[in-house]
Amino acid sequence: MVIETWSPKETFAVGERLGKEAKAGEIYTLNGDLGVGKTVFTQGIAKGLGIDEPVNSPTFTIVQIYEEGRIPFYHFDVYRIGDVEEMDEIGYEDYFFGEGLCIIEWAELIIDIIPNNAKKITIEKDLEKGFDYRRITIEE
Protein backbone atom coordinates (compact mmCIF):
# COMPACT_ATOMS: atom_id res chain seq x y z
CA MET A 1 0.00 0.00 0.00
CA VAL A 2 1.28 3.48 -0.89
CA ILE A 3 -0.08 6.59 0.84
CA GLU A 4 0.85 10.14 -0.16
CA THR A 5 0.78 12.96 2.37
CA TRP A 6 1.25 16.66 1.82
CA SER A 7 1.89 17.92 5.36
CA PRO A 8 3.27 16.75 8.70
CA LYS A 9 -0.33 16.75 9.99
CA GLU A 10 -1.33 14.24 7.30
CA THR A 11 1.75 12.09 8.00
CA PHE A 12 0.80 12.10 11.70
CA ALA A 13 -2.77 11.07 10.79
CA VAL A 14 -1.55 8.06 8.78
CA GLY A 15 0.48 6.95 11.81
CA GLU A 16 -2.51 7.51 14.09
CA ARG A 17 -4.70 5.31 11.88
CA LEU A 18 -2.07 2.53 12.04
CA GLY A 19 -1.86 2.89 15.81
CA LYS A 20 -5.62 2.43 16.15
CA GLU A 21 -5.41 -0.79 14.09
CA ALA A 22 -2.22 -2.16 15.72
CA LYS A 23 -2.33 -5.46 17.54
CA ALA A 24 -0.21 -6.79 20.39
CA GLY A 25 2.84 -8.64 19.12
CA GLU A 26 3.19 -6.72 15.86
CA ILE A 27 6.51 -5.33 14.67
CA TYR A 28 6.82 -2.41 12.24
CA THR A 29 10.15 -1.52 10.69
CA LEU A 30 10.44 2.17 9.85
CA ASN A 31 12.93 3.28 7.24
CA GLY A 32 13.67 6.65 5.70
CA ASP A 33 16.36 9.28 5.52
CA LEU A 34 17.05 11.72 8.36
CA GLY A 35 14.41 14.43 8.49
CA VAL A 36 11.82 12.51 6.48
CA GLY A 37 9.22 12.46 9.25
CA LYS A 38 9.76 9.15 11.05
CA THR A 39 9.26 10.78 14.45
CA VAL A 40 6.06 12.58 13.39
CA PHE A 41 4.74 9.30 11.99
CA THR A 42 5.66 7.47 15.22
CA GLN A 43 3.98 10.17 17.32
CA GLY A 44 0.83 9.50 15.29
CA ILE A 45 1.06 5.77 16.02
CA ALA A 46 1.44 6.53 19.74
CA LYS A 47 -1.64 8.77 19.64
CA GLY A 48 -3.58 5.98 17.93
CA LEU A 49 -2.57 3.66 20.77
CA GLY A 50 -3.92 6.17 23.30
CA ILE A 51 -0.55 7.49 24.47
CA ASP A 52 -0.61 11.17 25.41
CA GLU A 53 2.92 11.62 26.79
CA PRO A 54 5.55 13.16 24.49
CA VAL A 55 7.15 10.70 22.07
CA ASN A 56 10.65 11.42 20.82
CA SER A 57 13.22 9.37 18.98
CA PRO A 58 15.19 7.23 21.48
CA THR A 59 18.47 7.82 19.66
CA PHE A 60 20.64 7.54 22.76
CA THR A 61 18.71 4.85 24.64
CA ILE A 62 17.95 2.35 21.81
CA VAL A 63 14.43 1.68 23.15
CA GLN A 64 11.80 3.91 24.70
CA ILE A 65 8.91 2.18 26.47
CA TYR A 66 5.39 3.61 26.70
CA GLU A 67 2.86 1.67 28.74
CA GLU A 68 -0.05 4.07 29.15
CA GLY A 69 -1.85 3.13 25.91
CA ARG A 70 -4.18 0.25 25.16
CA ILE A 71 -1.11 -1.96 24.53
CA PRO A 72 2.54 -1.34 25.42
CA PHE A 73 4.54 0.54 22.78
CA TYR A 74 8.25 -0.14 22.26
CA HIS A 75 9.99 2.47 20.12
CA PHE A 76 13.46 1.41 18.96
CA ASP A 77 16.04 3.56 17.22
CA VAL A 78 19.00 1.37 16.29
CA TYR A 79 20.87 4.01 14.26
CA ARG A 80 23.83 4.03 16.67
CA ILE A 81 23.95 0.29 17.33
CA GLY A 82 27.33 -1.33 16.71
CA ASP A 83 26.17 -4.89 16.10
CA VAL A 84 23.26 -7.23 16.74
CA GLU A 85 24.83 -8.41 20.01
CA GLU A 86 23.87 -5.05 21.54
CA MET A 87 20.24 -6.00 20.90
CA ASP A 88 20.80 -9.22 22.86
CA GLU A 89 22.14 -7.16 25.76
CA ILE A 90 18.91 -5.15 26.04
CA GLY A 91 16.78 -8.28 25.77
CA TYR A 92 15.14 -7.41 22.48
CA GLU A 93 13.26 -10.73 22.34
CA ASP A 94 11.16 -9.70 25.34
CA TYR A 95 9.93 -6.74 23.27
CA PHE A 96 9.75 -8.38 19.83
CA PHE A 97 7.77 -11.34 21.12
CA GLY A 98 5.92 -9.58 23.92
CA GLU A 99 2.45 -8.13 24.32
CA GLY A 100 3.08 -4.73 22.75
CA LEU A 101 3.74 -3.02 19.44
CA CYS A 102 7.37 -2.54 18.32
CA ILE A 103 8.46 0.22 15.96
CA ILE A 104 12.08 -0.10 14.85
CA GLU A 105 13.74 2.86 13.16
CA TRP A 106 16.79 2.02 11.00
CA ALA A 107 15.79 -1.66 11.10
CA GLU A 108 17.99 -2.47 8.11
CA LEU A 109 20.95 -2.31 10.54
CA ILE A 110 19.62 -5.34 12.45
CA ILE A 111 17.86 -7.11 9.58
CA ASP A 112 19.19 -10.51 10.69
CA ILE A 113 16.97 -10.52 13.80
CA ILE A 114 13.82 -8.94 12.34
CA PRO A 115 11.01 -11.52 12.18
CA ASN A 116 9.67 -12.31 8.70
CA ASN A 117 6.16 -11.20 9.63
CA ALA A 118 7.22 -7.61 10.42
CA LYS A 119 5.45 -4.84 8.49
CA LYS A 120 7.92 -2.78 6.49
CA ILE A 121 7.18 0.96 6.41
CA THR A 122 9.24 3.32 4.26
CA ILE A 123 8.84 7.10 4.22
CA GLU A 124 10.34 9.02 1.29
CA LYS A 125 10.51 12.64 0.19
CA ASP A 126 10.07 13.89 -3.36
CA LEU A 127 11.05 17.55 -3.46
CA GLU A 128 9.62 17.90 -6.97
CA LYS A 129 6.19 17.37 -5.39
CA GLY A 130 6.84 19.85 -2.57
CA PHE A 131 8.82 20.26 0.63
CA ASP A 132 6.21 18.54 2.83
CA TYR A 133 5.28 15.76 0.41
CA ARG A 134 5.86 12.20 1.70
CA ARG A 135 5.31 8.80 0.10
CA ILE A 136 4.60 6.20 2.78
CA THR A 137 4.87 2.60 1.62
CA ILE A 138 3.53 -0.14 3.89
CA GLU A 139 4.40 -3.73 3.04
CA GLU A 140 2.79 -6.60 4.95
Side-chain angles (χ1 to χ4, degrees):
M1 167 183 2
V2 176
I3 301 165
E4 295 180 307
T5 64
W6 302 91
S7 70
K9 184 177 178 180
E10 289 180 14
T11 300
F12 181 96
V14 172
E16 185 175 8
R17 211 166 42 240
L18 269 181
K20 287 179 180 177
E21 298 168 1
K23 296 174 187 68
E26 288 187 316
I27 298 173
Y28 300 167
T29 64
L30 184 55
N31 298 294
D33 293 335
L34 288 170
V36 81
K38 293 186 298 294
T39 299
V40 168
F41 184 80
T42 301
Q43 290 168 337
I45 288 175
K47 183 69 172 173
L49 290 170
I51 297 167
D52 291 322
E53 68 182 280
V55 172
N56 297 302
S57 188
T59 302
F60 297 104
T61 58
I62 300 178
V63 64
Q64 192 75 3
I65 301 165
Y66 303 92
E67 295 181 332
E68 74 174 63
R70 63 179 176 81
I71 59 175
F73 180 42
Y74 310 121
H75 181 197
F76 288 83
D77 183 330
V78 298
Y79 183 74
R80 297 196 189 306
I81 205 156
D83 59 48
V84 174
E85 288 176 10
E86 286 182 54
M87 293 297 289
D88 285 330
E89 291 172 15
I90 64 163
Y92 79 91
E93 290 176 331
D94 293 339
Y95 302 109
F96 282 21
F97 305 108
E99 293 301 313
L101 170 67
C102 290
I103 289 275
I104 308 163
E105 294 187 40
W106 304 101
E108 65 273 12
L109 298 174
I110 58 166
I111 198 70
D112 293 343
I113 62 170
I114 300 293
N116 292 333
N117 63 342
K119 287 185 184 179
K120 181 180 178 185
I121 301 170
T122 304
I123 304 176
E124 300 168 291
K125 290 182 184 182
D126 184 344
L127 294 177
E128 290 182 11
K129 292 188 176 186
F131 181 76
D132 289 328
Y133 171 85
R134 299 296 185 266
R135 180 176 39 253
I136 302 168
T137 305
I138 303 171
E139 300 173 61
E140 301 279 334

